[in-house]
Amino acid sequence: MNIVIDAFGGDNAPLEVLKGASQAQKDFNIDITLVGDEKTIKKCATDNGVDISKLIIKHADTVIDVCEEPTNVIKSKKDCSMAVGMKMLSDGEGDAFVSAGSTGALVVGATFIVKRQKGIKRPALATILPTAGNPVMLLDSGANADCRPEMLVQFAIMGSAYMNKILRVESPKVCLANIGAEESKGRDLELETYIQLKSAPVNFIGNIEARQIPMGDCDVVVTDGFSGNLLLKLYEGMAKFFAGELKGILTKDFKSKLAAFMVLGNVKEFRKKVDYSEYGGAPLLGTAKPVIKAHGSSNAKAFYNAIRQAKQFTETKVIDEISSAIESMKEA
């Protein structure tokens, strides 16, 4: 197995990418290809004492910036690390691709270079979120601002397949994000999607309000990319807010610090639960081959887990499961 990584995607590239990839190669015993400027990669590794002797390097001349037009990845920046990496994946030189670079460019590149699965209308970013119970998958979390009902139904099918194969959730419960639990609530998009989801090959249990998502009432939440990205960013912001407030409370004075020492294990467990780096990244579901979008501020741990996630994605054949479900729905 060969996992291809955009060595220059993200705020902390290439150092954190190299550190995470080096450790992943040792632990998982797989091939890993770093894509980017070869001289810079080697110098960064030497200067920081990172052993990349067992990693493969594929040279790429440029990098696509997060501020650039996403379509540049298939136009003026075909030689960037992201485009070269996805071309390798498309050509069969890799089994999965990981990048913490521009989300827009990744979606465009995955759609036009890696290509979509047969029958899939749009790929969707699927983000794993912590809850009071088991983690929940939110999709679309930012790839498609405007969606049609049939697209949301496909998101539900893809999310169910992923949660079943990767997180081992038996018959994942699917909900539609809405402004109320009643079937009559929502815009035309939600009203029509609700009707279609009732006859889709998923375990659809109805609408869910945003406030219920953190309670762990379902396993997969589907919505359009605009609403999903708003939900995701609010989720991330509240996690940072609570973490900051908790730290302030536990370090306020001597008594607070003493109390913090007594519950240190529980605090660490809580921080681990809300740490995005534990989940690795967001799979872009609906592409012909596995593509993982790592968080822009990913550290070595996050890249390590993104590689682990890419490995699982490939081994469990989630894409085949999605294709079978889409084909069955067509026949029905």
Side-chain angles (χ1 to χ4, degrees):
M1 182 184 297
N2 181 24
I3 307 297
V4 182
I5 305 176
D6 176 5
F8 286 83
D11 303 334
N12 303 311
L15 179 57
E16 296 301 309
V17 180
L18 304 188
K19 288 160 63 177
S22 177
Q23 190 59 51
Q25 193 283 322
K26 294 174 185 175
D27 291 352
F28 305 141
N29 192 30
I30 56 175
D31 290 333
I32 293 177
T33 299
L34 302 170
V35 184
D37 184 86
E38 187 171 0
K39 288 184 179 179
T40 304
I41 290 173
K42 288 182 176 179
K43 185 178 186 303
C44 179
T46 301
D47 291 348
N48 293 278
V50 181
D51 180 14
I52 60 169
S53 60
K54 292 187 178 180
L55 304 181
I56 306 162
I57 299 177
K58 174 76 171 181
H59 180 75
D61 292 323
T62 63
V63 177
I64 187 164
D65 191 84
V66 292
C67 299
E68 290 187 59
E69 178 63 35
T71 54
N72 285 348
V73 76
I74 56 172
K75 294 178 179 178
S76 60
K77 284 291 184 74
K78 290 182 179 180
D79 60 348
C80 72
S81 55
M82 183 185 288
V84 173
M86 284 194 279
K87 185 67 166 56
M88 287 181 65
L89 182 64
S90 177
D91 291 344
E93 297 177 49
D95 297 290
F97 179 71
V98 177
S99 177
S102 163
T103 299
L106 186 75
V107 173
V108 171
T111 302
F112 292 99
I113 300 174
V114 182
K115 308 293 186 183
R116 290 171 290 168
Q117 286 182 250
K118 184 180 179 181
I120 295 295
K121 298 182 180 300
R122 296 278 183 85
L125 273 174
T127 305
I128 300 292
L129 301 174
T131 74
N134 294 321
V136 62
M137 172 168 276
L138 170 69
L139 74 167
D140 183 11
S141 58
N144 308 282
D146 297 307
C147 294
R148 300 187 301 277
E150 58 269 27
M151 291 165 59
L152 267 61
V153 173
Q154 289 191 345
F155 296 168
I157 292 170
M158 295 190 294
S160 293
Y162 190 92
M163 292 298 282
N164 176 252
K165 290 290 186 180
I166 302 296
L167 294 187
R168 306 298 180 186
V169 179
E170 188 69 29
S171 187
K173 293 177 290 184
V174 176
C175 284
L176 174 65
N178 209 332
I179 57 172
E182 300 88 350
E183 185 175 349
S184 59
K185 288 293 180 72
R187 304 165 293 181
D188 289 343
L189 173 64
E190 285 77 25
L191 293 172
E192 179 57 33
T193 300
Y194 192 102
I195 294 171
Q196 292 189 25
L197 280 172
K198 286 197 296 184
S199 59
V202 296
N203 180 20
F204 178 56
I205 62 171
N207 290 326
I208 188 170
E209 293 182 273
R211 63 183 176 184
Q212 289 303 120
I213 295 175
M215 300 300 104
D217 291 351
C218 65
D219 304 301
V220 178
V221 175
V222 295
T223 186
D224 60 277
F226 184 85
S227 303
N229 196 256
L230 287 175
L231 280 169
L232 173 62
K233 296 297 170 59
L234 178 60
Y235 219 101
E236 291 178 338
M238 290 305 295
K240 288 183 180 179
F241 168 72
F242 282 124
E245 289 295 301
L246 182 62
K247 182 179 179 180
I249 292 170
L250 297 177
T251 59
K252 186 176 182 180
D253 49 37
F254 177 75
K255 288 190 296 183
S256 299
K257 291 178 181 178
L258 182 62
F261 178 77
M262 297 175 68
V263 296
L264 186 60
N266 292 332
V267 172
K268 286 183 177 180
E269 187 176 332
F270 171 74
R271 289 185 63 181
K272 183 177 180 180
K273 190 173 185 178
V274 299
D275 183 4
Y276 72 85
S277 66
E278 293 288 339
Y279 300 97
L284 186 62
L285 299 181
T287 54
K289 293 186 177 181
V291 174
I292 302 292
K293 171 63 177 78
H295 200 286
S297 58
S298 291
N299 55 19
K301 179 182 178 182
F303 281 112
Y304 174 93
N305 282 320
I307 294 167
R308 172 186 52 76
Q309 188 178 22
K311 177 176 177 288
Q312 286 183 303
F313 198 158
T314 304
E315 291 174 337
T316 52
K317 300 186 182 302
V318 175
I319 291 176
D320 292 342
E321 187 79 10
I322 291 171
S323 294
S324 296
I326 294 296
E327 193 59 37
S328 296
M329 190 171 74
K330 280 184 179 180
E331 292 174 0

